[in-house]
Amino acid sequence: MPSRWINTGLSAHHFGYSLFNQQKLSASFSKQLFSQLSLGVTLSYFSTNISEQPHAGSILGEAGLLYRISSKLKLGLFLFNPTRSKYAEQLQERIPTFVRLGLAHDVSDKLQLTAETEQVLDRKTVWRGGVRYQLHEILSLAVGASNNPVYYTFGTGIRLKAFRMDFAASMHEVLGLTPHLGLSYPVQ
Amino acid sequence: MKSAGRTLIPLFLFILFTGVADQVFAQYYREPEEKVLADLMERWIENSDADIDYTDLQDQLEFYLRNKIDLNKATREELQRLPMLDDPGIEAILRHRQLFGSFISIYELQSIEALDERTIYYLSYFAAVEESQGSQLSVMQMLSKGKHEVIALHENRFQRAAGYDPAREANGQTHYLGSPYRYLLRYRFNYGSHLSYGYTGEKDMGEQFFKGAQKQGFDFQSVHFVLRNRGRFKTIALGDYQANFGQGLTFGSGLAAGKSADVLRVRRNFQTIRPYRSVNENEFMRGVAVTYRLHALELTGMYSSQRISTNFRALDSLPGADVFTSVQLTGLHRTPAEILNRNNVRQTICGAHAKWRSSNYDVGLTGVYTQYDHRFMHGDKPYQLYQFSGKHLSNFGADYNFYIANVNFFGELSASSNGGYAGIAGIALPLHQKADLVMAYRNFAKNYQSTFTSPFSEYRDARNEEGYYTGLSLKPAPHWVFNTYFDLYRAQWLRYLTDGPSHGYDWLGELQYNPTKSTQVYLRYRHEVKQGNIPNNDAARTDELAALSKENIRFHAQYKITPSLSGKTRAEFVQYHDMLNGYQSGTLIFQDLQYTTPFKDFSVTGRVALFAVEDARARVYATESDVLYHYAVPQYAHNGLRYYVLVHYRVTRQLDVWARYAQTTYSDVQTIGSGTELVQGNVLSDLRVQARLSF
């Protein structure tokens, strides 16, 4: 919901099945602070339901920052769960805390290169790199790679007016291929 | 006036007569051909870990150095064989020719934006603008106009290896029958690329010479004769030759570069038939090959029959059922056992290839039949289960290579007569003027079998491998290049020293700065992780697999100090890790200096290298300058100091001599090598002397 003062958004996620499921209800706020700098904050209620276990829930915070270094170069920073919230007050296990730093370079209207590093607390640093290429007005191609764990991702995107469909396949060195499908249509 | 005229006229005549006024000028600034060859070779091979013979690879390059490609006639396919040209550069040259007609001079290349100064500089060694009349001359005329070259080499190691000790024979130990010297004799004749023939003879160290098993003199002898572009015959080859079709998956003899810092070099651009002039005693064809042209169709037929050296196992119980378990790849016949196995199996190969060629695409079909006169039986270890066994093998394949707009698609699908399949498919995509991408997928079944193959892959045997490769090259700013590749692969079945299905990956990142054509600085990082056995020292239990990781960091700089003095500096660090051996590091730092006199008639090159390598798994490789046509990529292991001095002197226009002395002193060992190659002491010193007569 765009507004003059601040942009707000609401979202709901559901994952899992009857024996194990997680929900996330979020409210997001974003604001362009300066001409080159934007800030976003999300607050969520995160709940986990495991069969025959008491309900677990907690408040979770996320924050993101986008800095436009130039018209072609963007820097993004994303912080997830800085408060080190647990899944629930009574549990020991904490929701992971991580920070992600990314660079996107628009080499041309058709070509975008991205690089990203991610640090999850108590885990190995992850590096990712990617190339996105607009092959045709309708069709785009993407390829990316990541370490820790080693992943390869190939993707295609189809854009018909406002409707977008993305199809990707990620290749894990041990687990093999996993397909991904995404559909989006913005509501104005 | 009169006196001035008198002095000027002879000078003018001198310049006119020699006809090399601009050449003399150019020579002053041009590096010797050998150095250019070395630079390019190094880029091709330095990423390879295998200790293989590169002479054939270098021979391909050297061929174009001597038979420059005509820029006005070169096809896309021919240009693709030049290692300094990438696809965008080739397209730009072809477009330029289409728009502006024939090149008037090689310097016209400077007006092509896609080619940088360095590329043009290297290209000027391999391409020219000329009127080639070769095909109009009769064979007799070509024979009288061509160039002859004779090369003789002598090599000696000053420390005698244990195998030369005469006492060993009395003790019943294996020993070398021949002298510790290596001799090489080469004769070549060529008229451009139209006609060439030659002879190569080589005696390796420890082999006999004009006695015993080698009564005919050289242990390895090779002759070749190749005639090109006679009417409808594109190529007629007799004697020793190399044959490569498509992407090298169905059939490809000889070596081809694997993954390297040339991250876009994935597609194979083979010359179908080319003369074999190397001293690698394996992986070539001996017989006859002909390519016949019928409009857009090219038909190649080949036949090869030769005796090869194998590890033979005589089965007493079943006469005539003797088998061999592997082909000897060393080409060394020094000990009684090696001599016994010398040329003990006959290998016969027949093949045919049809290629339909158009300006924007070509498609090919290949069929090859291999026969051995004894049964080939790999061992009975589990990892050898799917390898070829028998006397006959057939391979069939279809390959393609086409362009849609600027996008290049290439690939090959192959089958072997036992029902194994293998395929490779790639796409080369120019994303932007300053960005190029190559992606390739390969899938070689565990039961795909072949005689000679050379596809783009991780393992050299074209079987039991599936992999995804992506290479990206960026030119972010003038003089700057960033290259990167990522390759992920899996093996369905066991491999040597890998007792289970395995997986691995490697990636490379290189930042290059090329401020001038003679100055280059790069920083390169490569990380490879693949699975291998962790020995548990329990014969009853299969070894478990674990990740073996190897990281390389290299800083390299090459530069010109004065027009006649240039240098190279390198520091390389290797870190190996696995859970059993922990971290092992290797370091190599070297400094090269090369002095060349302005008229190129004398040059001296030297290197001092210091190395500290904790474990053989962290060894470091680096190419070295050597006598012309000689290539080696020595590995640096243990701790010590190595230096070499190479001198080249052009005695006359016809005679060149080279001498190279290299010495390694180890600080942490008392003996070097093992078995017959064991050397007492901590010093190894080698001398190589070569002379070339060209007329």
Side-chain angles (χ1 to χ4, degrees), chain B residues 294-428:
Chain B
L294 256 176
H295 308 292
L297 190 65
E298 275 177 14
L299 298 166
T300 302
M302 62 167 185
Y303 172 80
S304 165
S305 179
Q306 61 180 317
R307 300 199 73 87
I308 56 172
S309 300
T310 67
N311 290 315
F312 207 73
R313 195 197 289 164
L315 299 174
D316 298 332
S317 52
L318 283 163
D322 299 342
V323 300
F324 64 102
T325 53
S326 64
V327 176
Q328 279 184 8
L329 296 172
T330 59
L332 299 170
H333 303 105
R334 308 161 299 186
T335 65
E338 285 170 349
I339 288 168
L340 190 70
N341 284 331
R342 183 173 181 263
N343 297 342
N344 54 4
V345 167
R346 178 162 291 277
Q347 176 198 59
T348 307
I349 298 174
C350 300
H353 179 72
K355 188 174 190 171
W356 182 270
R357 189 195 289 275
S358 175
S359 62
N360 279 324
Y361 69 91
D362 56 67
V363 286
L365 288 173
T366 309
V368 177
Y369 171 72
T370 308
Q371 187 197 39
Y372 297 100
D373 67 351
H374 289 83
R375 201 173 147 78
F376 194 162
M377 205 169 83
H378 283 94
D380 45 16
K381 301 230 165 52
Y383 80 89
Q384 295 164 318
L385 184 66
Y386 293 101
Q387 278 170 269
F388 172 65
S389 173
K391 286 184 172 182
H392 315 273
L393 177 66
S394 300
N395 290 81
F396 304 96
D399 61 87
Y400 65 89
N401 182 18
F402 62 87
Y403 288 80
I404 295 176
N406 275 333
V407 184
N408 176 217
F409 299 84
F410 56 93
E412 184 166 8
L413 184 67
S414 309
S416 55
S417 46
N418 63 321
Y421 285 91
I424 185 163
I427 171 171

Side-chain angles (χ1 to χ4, degrees), chain A residues 1 11-12 14 22 50 54 70-71 77 107 115 117 161 184:
Chain A
M1 281 165 275
S11 67
H14 176 87
Q22 291 179 315
I50 304 170
S70 73
S71 61
L77 186 84
V107 181
T117 177
K161 296 196 179 133
S184 73

Side-chain angles (χ1 to χ4, degrees), chain B residues 47 114 153 157 189 209 262 308 334 390 442 626 646 666:
Chain B
N47 195 34
L153 175 130
R157 169 162 287 177
F189 170 87
F209 196 52
D262 275 337
I308 56 172
R334 308 161 299 186
R442 57 193 187 272
D626 215 314
L646 169 69
Y666 296 95

